[in-house]
Amino acid sequence: MILKYSLYLLLTLAVFLGIYLYSNLAYDRSVTELSKRWAPEPSKFLNVAGMNIHYRDEGPKSDKAPIVLIHGTSASLHTWDGWVEELKAQRRVIRFDLPAFGLTGPDPQNNYTIEHYAEVVIAVLDKLKVDNSVLAGNSLGGYIAWATAVFYPDRVSKLILVDASGYPYDPESVPLAFKLSQNPIASRLLKNVLPKSLVEKSIKNVYGNPDLVTEELVNRYYELSLREGNRSALKARFEQTLPGALIEKIHTINVPTLLIWGRKDRLIPLKFGKQFEQEIVNSELIVFDDLGHVPHEENPQATVSAVLKFL
């Protein structure tokens, strides 16, 4: 009787799982399709390292040291919209979708090491004829920004690190989507499945105030995750962009550095912001008590004000 009941329960669970997966089928979408919504003017595409990199270049071209904004994991250049609105009146602002994300999509060599990401930053700037810049990055983008300053110190005049990664991983909470993408069974199951509710929960996990997460915001993250190749590239990025590899080099950074941190960041807690402040000699840490892991996105007005003062 017990065996019969157990088999019935397993069959029921399998049916419900099948219904759930079927109802959340989400196949890859082409760049052409997604560009209609997510790449209007002033978006352009730049051929770099075998990729068509989606980028925007705004503000006065006479600016000799543009601000380059680098987004984090699973984000896109759109995460900086609030900052750009304030900055572009005074400064040239360049931002682009990193390999594996947004409309840029996978690297043709499947190379997502921190060294290669820094090479891509420099390759983009070379194409745009930018010799020197202010690099600003959030999370993975922060890691790429300070790694670029380590590898190419003559190309970086200032750094702005927003809840940056790079130290050995020690999160208090990780978005569910990140966990699943690193699980071989779950990632295989989710190859053509992506529940929008999963995306929403993952965004809310990194916000200090989850009530700020709008349907429009969820739709942006969701749709750009469907860009052909992005889901498999995300798994490779987690395997290859390893934190901790360059921590012995952090103290070599000597450019003026602004550190912005959300006190409610549970993915990369504030203790790492304080560690950066200790190791980077010419640095200043500003903490926003009510914000989380993406403070530039949660409250662009308050955070960009700190940037303008720094600049």
Side-chain angles (χ1 to χ4, degrees), residues 216-287:
E216 181 182 1
L217 183 69
V218 173
N219 284 337
R220 186 183 83 213
Y221 275 89
Y222 174 76
E223 291 187 17
L224 290 174
S225 294
L226 298 179
R227 192 268 192 216
E228 49 194 358
N230 275 357
R231 281 177 280 186
S232 58
L234 176 62
K235 183 176 182 295
R237 167 269 182 268
F238 275 119
E239 292 170 350
Q240 295 182 39
T241 318
L242 302 176
L246 298 176
I247 54 173
E248 294 182 358
K249 301 284 188 180
I250 294 174
H251 75 278
T252 66
I253 298 170
N254 57 20
V255 296
T257 302
L258 174 65
L259 302 161
I260 291 177
W261 232 267
R263 191 177 295 277
K264 293 185 177 180
D265 186 350
R266 297 184 298 158
L267 183 60
I268 304 178
L270 177 59
K271 65 179 181 180
F272 292 111
K274 294 177 179 178
Q275 200 166 343
F276 274 116
E277 186 183 29
Q278 289 177 352
E279 294 204 49
I280 300 175
V281 176
N282 193 4
S283 65
E284 173 190 9
L285 173 64
I286 298 179
V287 180

Side-chain angles (χ1 to χ4, degrees), residues 17-227:
L17 177 61
I19 293 171
Y20 176 77
L21 293 175
Y22 181 77
S23 63
N24 287 286
L25 280 174
Y27 295 105
D28 283 353
R29 297 186 187 177
S30 69
V31 175
T32 302
E33 178 189 354
L34 291 169
S35 294
K36 293 173 185 176
R37 181 172 185 183
W38 302 112
E41 285 290 338
S43 282
K44 295 179 181 177
F45 288 84
L46 193 68
N47 190 269
V48 172
M51 293 172 282
N52 282 321
I53 290 183
H54 174 221
Y55 79 103
R56 292 182 181 175
D57 185 351
E58 300 167 84
K61 298 298 186 288
S62 58
D63 189 349
K64 299 300 182 185
I67 301 164
V68 179
L69 304 174
I70 310 173
H71 67 76
T73 299
S74 292
S76 63
L77 59 76
H78 308 86
T79 191
W80 300 106
D81 283 350
W83 275 26
V84 174
E85 282 304 307
E86 293 295 324
L87 292 171
K88 68 181 182 180
Q90 307 172 38
R91 302 293 298 266
R92 182 181 179 187
V93 187
I94 298 167
R95 48 183 166 148
F96 60 94
D97 291 344
L98 290 169
F101 306 112
L103 295 174
T104 295
D107 182 279
Q109 304 302 319
N110 196 41
N111 188 345
Y112 303 105
T113 62
I114 190 62
E115 292 83 0
H116 186 58
Y117 270 124
E119 288 171 357
V120 169
V121 171
I122 295 301
V124 168
L125 296 180
D126 284 346
K127 278 271 185 163
L128 297 175
K129 295 181 170 47
V130 174
D131 295 324
N132 199 270
S133 65
V134 177
L135 288 189
N138 167 239
S139 194
L140 168 66
Y143 187 8
I144 294 168
W146 70 256
T148 304
V150 166
F151 294 134
Y152 307 94
D154 58 326
R155 303 293 296 271
V156 182
S157 60
K158 291 183 179 181
L159 278 176
I160 301 168
L161 305 182
V162 184
D163 295 71
S165 63
Y167 286 106
Y169 213 47
D170 186 21
E172 295 171 8
S173 178
V174 178
L176 181 57
F178 287 7
K179 292 180 182 178
L180 293 176
S181 69
Q182 297 173 73
N183 182 293
I185 297 174
S187 62
R188 188 178 294 269
L189 279 173
L190 295 174
K191 182 180 179 182
N192 290 312
V193 174
L194 184 62
K196 191 176 286 188
S197 60
L198 172 64
V199 176
E200 182 177 4
K201 287 177 184 176
S202 297
I203 300 170
K204 287 184 174 181
N205 183 269
V206 298
Y207 263 60
N209 179 5
D211 293 337
L212 294 175
V213 176
T214 63
E215 184 178 357
E216 181 182 1
L217 183 69
V218 173
N219 284 337
R220 186 183 83 213
Y221 275 89
Y222 174 76
E223 291 187 17
L224 290 174
S225 294
L226 298 179
R227 192 268 192 216

